[in-house]
């Protein structure tokens, strides 16, 4: 019985312990909260409450079951939802639990939302339960759910127009589908409130209407005479019916009937030489009469074919141009300007002036022979032929430009360049060789340029067996090359001709050329550098354009090679106008060729769905290049002097131009200063006061020629020499003949002065020589500007045994005549300095001087009383003169002053002495004739003033030791 009782007690204890275990197991947080995977919400930008779909509810399996009776209260805490956590950066929302037991929560905005800043927000949310332990340390979290929230807009903004005002221009008598478009925008973020639903013209009673898109058109044809401008006030409404905050002003101008054309440019455009670039159309614009144009193409052409060889270029010789362009030496010019050293072109007709290059005309009957030895080019070496040519369609016969053929007996052509049926052909026959095989002999080029009557530049680089042709800087390959055997061996000399080919067997010319040639030359070596070839062809004038940055990408501009025309293409009329306004004319020559350059603008346009909708007439005008201020090249220095025979025969010789000065001046007329006070009635005076101003300028020279006046140089006993090292240093060349020599090459005036200062004259047999005369002439631009003829006379002093003087104080200086040409304005320049040298006068010279001195003394003594006062004044003035020379013969002193020049007396002194001079006229004539005997050989071309100035070699008695 006791055991049974113990058993019941044990069962009761086990049951209690089991229930306790069940309770403990129920309190364990086994499950995570659960929420939906995606939520979508809507919130209005002026509200903070978010409407979610589905609602935000978190569930947890640890929550008590409704049918658990005795544990419902005790187990509730472990199944509650304690909160929600939002994940994301700068999320303007927060999640709040409304009921922990049911897990219900809401999302709301923490700050004021702005739809215009952000229309949508996306973030993640997570629920967590209360868990167990202190402060829910063992809480469980749900998975992360994505939340998308859209911010709804409210109509808080009003429409605003994009422009402050609008302008348009219409042509009278025309109804437009659309004149212009006004446009307003709304800052609201939603489609409903940001759209402009309506535009309205507020101004009443105007013949215009506007549609919902903002396009304004006229409701009737407008008249320029009735109203020239309409001012409309336009407003806008968004789809929320908010009106624009500010209305906009629209101005519509009415223009007379429109004619599409270029407008706003001058037909005559004057170009002042030396002013750089000149805008041709600074105010020009294209009037399209509001046609719907999609593209524009304009061609601007500058006609320069009548200027020089197709345009304005430097007119130096071809040899000088090759040097300026960087080509190596070795150039032989076959068509030089006629000169004493190159006279084989004298008989050819030339162009009608020196404003441009020397151009030679061949009419089918003229030809010239080039002197033997001028061309030493071997055909076995590379060589170059270049020429400027203008040739039109001719007969079907060969027309020879250059030919080298047999001089006698046979008619073989060794090499030639000719035109045949508008083909340029180079014949190149090889000399005899060991292997007589076929070799290339004729190279044919079919060229339109050969017969278009325009100037073109041809360069042939010959490097046998290949030949390269450049026409106006563009390469052309031969379309046909024929072969032939080399020439048979012979000892016949060859003849080089231009304009025809010499037939040695018939002793006559054949195959004459008809056209114009210039700058024909042959040089050793190839012109491999394309830059040199382009430099020879490039014009010094042309069109230019500096594209503004804002339109550079909207317009396409192309030039032709010599920049005489350009093409502009684009679709933006405003950008097109700006480009046209920046087109300019530029002539980089210091002395451009004056005259007219015609301008022509050809324009074509295209419209929508049409090839051509507007026909624009050609716009024509011209550029007038004004006459440049012509430089006056003046040569001055010592033009008459004497040297001893020993100096002429010395190794150094006599320097001809020791004090040469080269000056170039231009003369301009300027209006007198008008800043002075206006004299009453001066406005009625039609005369205009002008002042002539002379300015010294610097420019280059290309030729200086020294020639003898009188007999030609005799090479057996006389010569003219120049310092060759100085010539080479300055890149100059010299060609000589028995008439003198010419120095050629483009260089500065100062460098030419240095070279000319060193020219010497030598004579080894001076016994019969008393004087020699020389002439110097310099020029610029191939003879376009020529200096004065500067003539120098050199006297030879034949020296006898020297005469011993008692005092030996002075020796006789050379007779030197300083000259200032009256035609040169050289104020401020000291051009002449006396060249001092000493020789001993011969006995005959002394006797003549003594006799003349006694004659002068007697005449002066006869008129002493009448001119006593005047003589004292003259003696005071002459006592201070330089370069005096006294001859003290113990009892007699003769003062010879060869450097004394004539000085004009003051006008007041001339008036006082007028009667005295008239009484003594005959005696003065005698004195003048006596004093000028030594100057009778001076050239007769000088004016009387110049002769008088150079002949005032006064002889004055020193009568301090004489008694009378």
């Amino acid at each position: 019985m006791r055991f049974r009782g113990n058993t019941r007690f044990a069962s009761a204890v086990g049951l209690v312990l089991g229930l306790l275990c069940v309770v403990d197991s129920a309190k364990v947080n086994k499950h995570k909260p659960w929420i939906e995977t995606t939520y979508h919400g809507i919130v209005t930008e002026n509200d903070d409450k978010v409407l979610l779909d589905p609602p935000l509810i978190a569930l947890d399996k640890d929550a008590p079951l409704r049918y658990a009776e005795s544990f419902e209260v005790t187990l509730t805490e472990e199944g509650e939802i304690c909160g929600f956590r939002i994940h994301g950066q700068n999320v303007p929302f927060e999640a709040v639990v409304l009921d922990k037991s049911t897990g219900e929560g809401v999302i709301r905005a923490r700050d004021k939302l702005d739809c215009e800043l952000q229309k949508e927000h996306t973030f993640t949310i997570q629920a967590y339960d209360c868990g167990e332990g202190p402060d829910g340390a063992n809480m469980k979290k749900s998975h992360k759910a994505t939340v998308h929230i859209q911010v709804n807009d409210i109509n808080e903004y009003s429409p605003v127009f994009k422009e402050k005002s609008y302008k348009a221009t219409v042509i009278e008598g025309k109804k437009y589908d659309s004149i212009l478009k006004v446009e307003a925008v709304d800052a609201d973020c939603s489609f409903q409130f940001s759209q402009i639903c309506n535009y309205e013209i507020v101004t009443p009673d105007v013949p215009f209407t506007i549609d919902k898109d903002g396009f304004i058109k006229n409701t009737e044809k407008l008249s320029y005479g009735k109203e020239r401008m309409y001012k409309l006030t336009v407003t806008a409404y968004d789809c929320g019916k908010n009106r624009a905050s500010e209305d906009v002003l629209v101005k519509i101008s009415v223009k007379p009937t429109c004619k599409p054309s270029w407008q706003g440019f001058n037909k005559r455009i004057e170009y002042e030489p030396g002013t750089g670039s000149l805008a041709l159309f600074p105010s020009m614009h294209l009037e399209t009469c509001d046609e719907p144009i999609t593209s524009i193409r304009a061609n601007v052409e500058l006609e320069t074919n009548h200027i020089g060889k197709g345009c304005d270029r430097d007119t130096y010789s071809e040899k000088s141009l090759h040097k300026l362009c960087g080509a190596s030496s070795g150039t032989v010019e076959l068509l030089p300007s006629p000169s004493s050293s190159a006279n084989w072109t004298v008989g050819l007709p030339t162009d009608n002036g020196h404003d441009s290059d020397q151009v030679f005309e061949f009419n089918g009957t003229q030809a010239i022979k080039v002197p033997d030895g001028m061309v030493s080019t071997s055909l076995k070496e590379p060589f170059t032929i270049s020429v400027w040519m203008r040739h039109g369609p001719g007969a079907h016969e060969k027309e020879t430009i250059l030919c080298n053929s047999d001089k006698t007996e046979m008619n073989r052509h060794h090499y030639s360049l000719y035109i045949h049926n508008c083909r340029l052909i180079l014949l190149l026959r090889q000399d005899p060789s060991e292997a007589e095989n076929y070799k290339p002999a004729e190279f044919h080029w079919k060229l339109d340029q050969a017969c278009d009557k325009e100037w073109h530049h041809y360069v042939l680089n010959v490097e046998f067996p290949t030949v390269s042709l450049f026409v106006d800087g563009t390469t052309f390959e031969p379309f046909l090359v024929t072969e032939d055997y080399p020439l048979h061996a012979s000892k016949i000399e060859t003849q080089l001709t231009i304009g025809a080919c010499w037939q040695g067997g018939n002793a006559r010319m054949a195959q004459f050329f008809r056209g114009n040639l210039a700058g024909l030359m042959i040089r050793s070596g190839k012109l491999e550098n394309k830059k040199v070839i382009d430099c020879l062809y490039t014009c010094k004038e042309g069109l230019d354009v500096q594209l503004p940055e804002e339109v550079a990408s909207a317009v396409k501009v192309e030039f032709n090679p010599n920049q005489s025309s350009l093409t502009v293409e684009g679709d933006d009329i405003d950008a097109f106008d700006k480009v046209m306004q920046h087109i300019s004319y530029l002539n980089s020559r210091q002395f451009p060729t004056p005259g007219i350059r015609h301008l022509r603008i050809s324009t074509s346009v295209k419209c929508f769905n049409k090839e051509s909708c507007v026909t624009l007439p050609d716009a024509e005008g011209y550029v007038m290049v004004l006459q440049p201020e012509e430089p006056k090249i003046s040569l001055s220095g010592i033009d008459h002097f004497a040297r001893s025979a020993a100096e002429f025969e010395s190794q150094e010789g006599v320097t001809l131009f020791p004090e040469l000065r080269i000056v170039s001046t231009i003369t301009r007329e300027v209006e007198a200063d008008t800043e002075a006070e206006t004299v009453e009635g001066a406005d009625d005076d039609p005369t205009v006061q002008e002042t002539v101003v002379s300015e010294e300028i610097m420019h280059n020279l290309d030729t200086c020629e020294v020639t003898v006046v009188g007999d030609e140089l005799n090479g057996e006993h006389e010569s003219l020499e120049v310092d060759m090292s100085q010539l080479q240093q300055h890149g100059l060349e010299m060609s000589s003949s028995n008439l003198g020599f010419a120095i050629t090459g483009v260089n500065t005036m100062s460098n030419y002065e240095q070279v000319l200062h060193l020219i010497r004259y030598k004579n080894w047999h001076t016994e019969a020589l008393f004087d020699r005369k020389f002439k110097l002439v310099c020029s610029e631009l191939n003879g376009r500007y020529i200096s004065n003829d500067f003539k120098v006379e050199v006297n030879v002093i034949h020296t006898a045994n020297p005469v011993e003087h008692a005092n030996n104080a002075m020796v006789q200086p050379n007779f030197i005549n300083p000259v200032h040409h009256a035609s040169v304005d050289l104020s401020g320049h000291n051009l002449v300095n006396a060249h001092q040298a000493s020789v001993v006068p011969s006995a005959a010279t002394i006797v003549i001087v003594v006799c003349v001195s006694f004659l002068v003394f007697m005449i002066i003594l006869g008129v002493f009383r009448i001119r006593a006062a005047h003589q004292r004044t003259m003696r005071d003035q002459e006592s201070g003169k330089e370069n005096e020379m006294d001859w003290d013969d113990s009892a007699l002193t003769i003062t010879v002053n060869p450097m004394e020049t004539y000085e004009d007396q003051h006008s007041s002194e001339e008036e006082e002495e007028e009667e005295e001079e008239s009484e003594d006229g005959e005696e003065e004539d005698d004195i003048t004739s006596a004093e000028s005997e030594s100057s009778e050989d001076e050239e007769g071309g000088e004016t009387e003033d110049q002769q008088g100035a150079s002949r005032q070699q006064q002889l004055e008695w020193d009568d301090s030791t004489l008694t009378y």
Side-chain angles (χ1 to χ4, degrees), residues 58-181:
L59 300 178
D60 194 326
K61 291 184 178 180
D62 293 323
L65 299 176
R66 293 184 177 276
Y67 55 83
E69 299 178 356
S70 61
F71 304 106
E72 183 175 359
V73 176
T74 58
L75 301 179
T76 299
E77 185 178 357
E78 282 67 20
E80 291 180 349
I81 302 300
C82 280
F84 296 93
R85 183 172 297 170
I86 292 176
H87 299 276
Q89 188 174 3
N90 299 326
V91 178
F93 296 94
E94 63 180 359
V96 180
V97 177
L98 297 180
D99 189 340
K100 291 183 178 182
S101 61
T102 62
E104 182 181 358
V106 294
I107 296 176
R108 60 190 179 193
R110 291 186 299 178
D111 301 316
K112 185 178 180 180
L113 300 176
D114 192 343
C115 175
E116 285 71 37
L117 294 179
Q118 188 170 351
K119 291 183 179 181
E120 293 182 353
H121 297 270
T122 300
F123 52 91
T124 59
I125 191 171
Q126 195 174 27
Y128 60 92
D129 59 17
C130 295
E132 69 176 2
D135 300 326
N138 296 323
M139 65 180 180
K140 297 287 186 177
K141 299 178 183 179
S142 70
H143 64 273
K144 292 182 179 179
T146 304
V147 180
H148 301 280
I149 298 178
Q150 178 180 341
V151 181
N152 283 345
D153 185 27
I154 62 173
N155 194 7
E156 57 185 322
Y157 292 100
S158 298
V160 177
F161 285 96
K162 287 186 175 182
E163 304 291 338
K164 293 183 178 180
S165 64
Y166 292 86
K167 294 181 181 180
T169 301
V170 296
I171 305 299
E172 66 174 348
K174 182 178 179 181
K175 290 190 67 174
Y176 292 82
D177 293 333
S178 173
I179 297 176
L180 80 159
K181 179 183 179 181

Side-chain angles (χ1 to χ4, degrees), residues 860-876:
I860 294 175
L861 185 62
V863 298
F864 179 79
R865 293 184 181 274
I866 301 174
R867 306 187 62 189
H870 179 58
Q871 289 292 345
R872 283 194 298 270
T873 303
M874 292 293 292
R875 188 176 296 111
D876 292 339

Side-chain angles (χ1 to χ4, degrees), residues 26 234 346 400:
V234 177
V346 172
T400 301

Side-chain angles (χ1 to χ4, degrees), residues 481-493:
V481 177
T482 60
E483 296 181 342
D484 202 347
Y485 282 109
L487 294 172
H488 297 292
S490 69
K491 297 183 179 180
I492 302 175
E493 295 182 352

Side-chain angles (χ1 to χ4, degrees), residues 693-705:
V693 177
S694 181
E695 298 179 6
E696 183 175 342
I697 63 170
M698 300 301 296
H699 58 77
N700 292 329
L701 298 176
D702 60 0
T703 302
C704 279
E705 191 170 6

Side-chain angles (χ1 to χ4, degrees), residues 195-206:
Q195 294 297 308
I196 307 300
C197 284
N198 187 30
Y199 290 93
E200 181 181 343
I201 297 177
V202 180
T203 307
D205 301 328
V206 289

Side-chain angles (χ1 to χ4, degrees), residues 643-645 766-771 796-800 840-843 845:
R643 297 287 186 270
S644 67
T766 59
E767 293 83 0
L769 181 67
F770 292 96
D771 59 58
V796 182
I797 300 177
H798 296 275
T799 306
V840 180
S842 63
T845 303

